Amino acid sequence: MNTAKSTWLDLMLNSAKNRQLLALALPMILSNITIPLLGLVDTAVIGHLSDAYYLGGVAVGSTIITLIIWLLGFLRMATTGLVAQAFGANDLHAQHKLLVQGAMLAMLLGAGVIALQVPILNLALGLSEASSEVERYCREYFQVRIWSTPFALLNLVMLGWLLGRQQPKAAMWQLILANLANIVLDVVFVLGLGWGVKGAALASVFADITAFSVALTMVLQQLKRASGFQLSELFPHVTLTGYGKLLRLNTDIFVRSLCLQAAFAFMTFHGAGLGDNTVAANAVLLNLLLLISYALDGIAYYAEAEVGRAYGQKQARQLREAVILAWSWSALTALGFCVIFSLFGNNIIALLTSINEVRATAQTYLIWLIFMPLWSFSSYLFDGVYIGAAKGKVMRNSMILATFGAFFPTWYVLQQLLLPEQGNHALWAAMSAFMIARSLTLAGHYYFSNTFLNK
């Protein structure tokens, strides 16, 4: 057997490996794109109402919900990494155990969030400098949307389980059907029935329930494919013990997610203090940034699954080749986004809002978005690598450094140097520094460390 290392060109010209990447990544890219498209539809529907504070209220309210879900996103990430390794080792018992443990954690956390919804909302708004109108519509949105949290968290677990077992098409249909339902209901509830901000929130609630129904069906189908499987086999895993490995990984990813959301929440909340037009414009641009991240995450999911499988099988060469191939395609995709936003950015903004002041403000800061894919693609890719290898501490340390060593210092220094009316440039510069720091620390650790099966 040939054990020589493949060159970059060998890998890029290897049709079999590229087909494998596309088979895993393309379904997730297509389904992932529906997530920011949903946010873009929310933005477009609300953005065509009469005043900017409607869009600002939805932006702040959805940011709080997103903050909660992403803080608990370790449910998806940890499940994917550990299930991928169990899948590579052909350990069905471990896969079943992780599914049950993840679901139990999701239900407990979802119930806790609902119980604490009032102090969570008050704390979040206390950190924001939003106007009274924006705060009013934020509360209106949040108080409806929060009830879908348990379904959203269970969806994370089941999505992670399906991805860990290299079932991207099942995950694709879950996301596509749920988000299409949300988009249709957005239009019906907001524009058709005139329910405004509450209609947008209610559409998202029904979408989360739809996603749960689809994901549960997909998971049950996967379980039944195992010869002789009975649902009773899952019952022994319904215990309060044996969570050590899952909780340790979850803790590291939670800290990582906390730092990530601190940066994005600060961007929205501090932007709210710069005026209704600024927070609305940032909502438009941040939704486009989500479009970038979710598309690139599709390739990162390939890295998660392949790295996890190779790690479980202790195949160093397969792991290395998966990383090189995924990084190369991520770089090409990032360049494509740069070109699209530079050529059509103003047109895209015009599609998302008809409020002239918001359009003009968003166009002022578009230059930051044009270059953001280049600064950020490595961070998304190596997040996938470290999730697949279940190395949460590396992700945690990288995010802490990027948040407190790059984002906040950059914002603080620049907002002292710039004029008050240029404060939003300081926020976007800080976000750029944050992405660059994440990319460099993760890529640097992978390249210089010797922890990936002695690659």
Side-chain angles (χ1 to χ4, degrees):
M1 181 177 64
N2 182 17
T3 59
K5 291 183 178 180
S6 300
T7 67
W8 173 82
L9 186 59
D10 291 335
L11 291 172
M12 293 302 291
L13 296 178
N14 188 317
S15 59
K17 287 189 175 294
N18 280 286
R19 282 196 301 270
Q20 184 183 18
L21 182 146
L22 289 175
L24 286 172
L26 191 57
M28 291 312 302
I29 292 173
L30 294 174
S31 55
N32 272 355
I33 286 175
T34 67
I35 299 174
L37 282 180
L38 169 60
L40 293 175
V41 170
D42 269 345
T43 300
V45 170
I46 300 298
H48 284 81
L49 297 180
S50 57
D51 293 288
Y53 52 71
Y54 292 110
L55 181 56
V58 171
V60 176
S62 61
T63 295
I64 299 171
I65 296 292
T66 300
L67 173 62
I68 294 169
I69 301 300
W70 281 12
L71 279 177
L72 303 177
F74 56 74
L75 291 168
R76 204 283 300 165
M77 297 180 191
T79 302
T80 299
L82 294 175
V83 170
Q85 292 188 17
F87 181 73
N90 197 29
D91 188 344
L92 287 174
H93 178 82
Q95 294 173 46
H96 297 163
K97 180 179 179 180
L98 288 164
L99 175 64
V100 173
Q101 290 183 338
M104 290 184 64
L105 279 176
M107 289 187 287
L108 288 172
L109 291 169
V113 168
I114 289 178
L116 297 172
Q117 61 178 287
V118 174
I120 288 172
L121 179 58
N122 290 336
L123 174 62
L125 288 175
L127 298 173
S128 171
E129 300 175 17
S131 67
S132 59
E133 291 86 359
V134 168
E135 181 174 328
R136 172 190 170 188
Y137 289 105
C138 168
R139 289 184 179 277
E140 193 173 286
Y141 181 91
F142 179 89
Q143 289 167 351
V144 174
R145 178 78 188 279
I146 192 66
W147 290 96
S148 68
T149 304
F151 294 102
L153 297 182
L154 283 167
N155 291 339
L156 290 178
V157 172
M158 289 188 285
L159 177 62
W161 193 82
L162 290 168
L163 289 173
R165 287 175 53 87
Q166 298 199 1
Q167 296 295 322
K169 289 184 179 179
M172 175 185 73
W173 286 113
Q174 180 214 14
L175 292 172
I176 288 179
L177 291 174
N179 289 316
L180 284 177
N182 201 337
I183 289 170
V184 172
L185 291 174
D186 249 340
V187 175
V188 172
F189 290 166
V190 178
L191 299 182
L193 299 177
W195 290 353
V197 170
K198 285 184 178 179
L202 192 59
S204 295
V205 171
F206 282 119
D208 283 333
I209 295 173
T210 301
F212 170 77
S213 302
V214 175
L216 182 60
T217 301
M218 299 291 188
V219 168
L220 290 175
Q221 287 178 348
Q222 287 291 310
L223 290 172
K224 289 176 181 178
R225 287 179 183 175
S227 178
F229 174 80
Q230 300 291 328
L231 281 176
S232 58
E233 294 179 33
L234 299 180
F235 296 158
H237 301 304
V238 183
T239 67
L240 298 178
T241 60
Y243 283 71
K245 187 175 182 180
L246 183 62
L247 288 175
R248 283 193 297 273
L249 182 56
N250 280 341
T251 301
D252 289 330
I253 298 178
F254 173 78
V255 173
R256 173 253 183 206
S257 299
L258 184 64
C259 293
L260 176 67
Q261 290 311 306
F264 275 94
F266 185 85
M267 185 106 180
T268 297
F269 294 153
H270 189 75
L274 300 176
D276 290 355
N277 290 327
T278 298
V279 69
N282 281 353
V284 171
L285 295 176
L286 285 172
N287 270 304
L288 293 174
L289 178 57
L290 283 178
L291 181 66
I292 298 168
S293 66
Y294 279 116
L296 291 172
D297 269 348
I299 302 174
Y301 286 142
Y302 160 82
E304 288 181 29
E306 280 300 291
V307 168
R309 185 170 66 88
Y311 208 85
Q313 296 176 346
K314 302 188 184 303
Q315 295 291 330
R317 177 179 172 179
Q318 290 180 13
L319 189 152
R320 172 184 171 273
E321 290 179 351
V323 173
I324 293 173
L325 193 64
W327 188 92
S328 301
W329 279 107
S330 293
L332 292 173
T333 304
L335 285 172
F337 273 115
C338 292
V339 173
I340 290 171
F341 288 138
S342 63
L343 294 178
F344 306 110
N346 289 334
N347 303 92
I348 296 172
I349 290 169
L351 287 174
L352 298 179
T353 178
S354 58
I355 303 170
N356 290 330
E357 292 83 359
V358 176
R359 284 184 180 180
T361 304
Q363 289 167 359
T364 299
Y365 302 106
L366 177 62
I367 187 66
W368 294 104
L369 187 72
I370 290 173
F371 289 99
M372 198 66 73
L374 292 181
W375 312 148
S376 60
F377 80 90
S378 281
S379 68
Y380 302 133
L381 184 278
F382 281 104
D383 269 349
V385 171
Y386 284 96
I387 290 169
K391 294 184 178 295
K393 288 184 179 179
V394 179
M395 299 170 62
R396 179 199 66 191
N397 294 341
S398 169
M399 193 66 76
I400 290 173
L401 181 59
T403 303
F404 298 104
F407 180 86
F408 285 110
T410 300
W411 168 79
Y412 181 79
V413 170
L414 289 181
Q415 63 93 25
Q416 297 292 325
L417 297 176
L418 298 175
L419 297 173
E421 60 270 21
Q422 297 176 317
N424 204 43
H425 280 296
L427 285 175
W428 281 100
M431 182 58 67
S432 297
F434 173 74
M435 292 296 186
I436 292 171
R438 287 178 61 196
S439 296
L440 291 178
T441 51
L442 289 173
H445 183 275
Y446 173 80
Y447 186 80
F448 291 108
S449 73
N450 197 35
T451 60
F452 279 87
L453 301 176
N454 298 317
K455 64 178 189 302

